[in-house]
Amino acid sequence: MTSRWMLEVEKVRPVEVRWHVMSLAVLNEDKLDTLSEKYAAFLRDAWGPVRVVVAAQQEHGDEVVGPLYTALGTRFHNQGLPRERETIVAALEEVGLPVELADHADRDTYDTQLRASHKEGIDKVGQDVGTPVIAVPGSDGEQIAFFGPVVTPTPRGDQAAKLWDGTLLVASVPGFYEIKRTRTQGPIFD
């Protein structure tokens, strides 16, 4: 949902999103035995798609990450398709990437790069968060990273701009760390 919001922000503010790979599978790999079997299974299934995204990035450049993430996310979240080869191949075809990249779902070829990318993101925000993470300019120009915002449905137009402006505002306050409330509904994909 945050990624969809950032695409909206690009339309209403002079922002260019730089996509960065993080992985809940990497974040939680040492905790699988403490999680529910359903969530642990989800995390095990998450390795394939993220490996394909990293392989695409390594072989075709950073500019493919956003479109491939969108193509995969639309299939998994909006359409409810399974995290399997056929779904990944369809996403690769949509964005004009070689379908052979789907072979990386079962390979650890780029796991070092995946872990490095994940570490770079999580190091900006700290270990006690998950995804999404965004990094924005702070008051002194250095990047300030936050977990979130977690928002649903996707803010559009003026609402997207207001949330962006508010994010920049809190990032400008030294020592600001967190605003949070309990989620009362799941994601609304539109």
Side-chain angles (χ1 to χ4, degrees):
M1 301 306 297
T2 303
S3 70
R4 304 306 86 191
W5 165 62
M6 286 306 305
L7 291 175
E8 289 294 313
V9 171
E10 284 187 314
K11 296 175 186 175
V12 295
R13 291 291 185 264
V15 170
E16 182 179 336
V17 175
R18 288 186 6 239
W19 300 98
H20 189 89
V21 176
M22 288 188 67
S23 171
L24 289 173
V26 171
L27 183 69
N28 293 292
E29 68 184 328
D30 61 345
K31 302 173 191 148
L32 290 178
D33 58 345
T34 66
L35 302 172
S36 73
E37 182 49 42
K38 182 178 178 180
Y39 191 57
F42 166 79
L43 293 173
R44 285 189 292 273
D45 288 345
W47 279 98
V50 76
R51 283 176 165 161
V52 171
V53 172
V54 171
Q57 179 184 35
Q58 294 299 308
E59 296 180 15
H60 298 278
D62 292 339
E63 65 276 1
V64 303
V65 174
L68 183 54
Y69 179 79
T70 295
L72 288 166
T74 299
R75 283 166 175 75
F76 297 150
H77 302 298
N78 300 64
Q79 298 171 8
L81 297 174
R83 287 168 171 77
E84 61 186 28
R85 183 180 177 82
E86 181 179 324
T87 307
I88 294 170
V89 165
L92 290 165
E93 289 175 332
E94 177 185 325
V95 298
L97 289 168
V99 298
E100 294 78 21
L101 285 168
D103 296 340
H104 287 280
D106 300 317
R107 296 180 185 161
D108 64 1
T109 309
Y110 296 112
D111 279 9
T112 299
Q113 293 86 343
L114 166 58
R115 289 176 190 285
S117 180
H118 175 84
K119 183 179 182 326
E120 183 182 340
I122 207 75
D123 282 353
K124 289 180 183 196
V125 73
Q127 296 296 320
D128 60 342
V129 300
T131 62
V133 169
I134 64 168
V136 301
S139 59
D140 59 3
E142 82 173 61
Q143 283 193 334
I144 304 294
F146 295 110
F147 165 69
V150 176
V151 60
T152 196
T154 302
R156 305 214 183 268
D158 190 49
Q159 289 295 312
K162 286 180 180 178
L163 182 55
W164 176 253
D165 296 344
T167 301
L168 293 179
L169 180 63
V170 298
S172 74
V173 176
F176 175 83
Y177 293 98
E178 183 175 7
I179 294 176
K180 188 166 183 168
R181 67 180 177 156
T182 300
R183 294 181 212 178
T184 58
Q185 69 180 45
I188 299 171
F189 301 108
D190 53 3

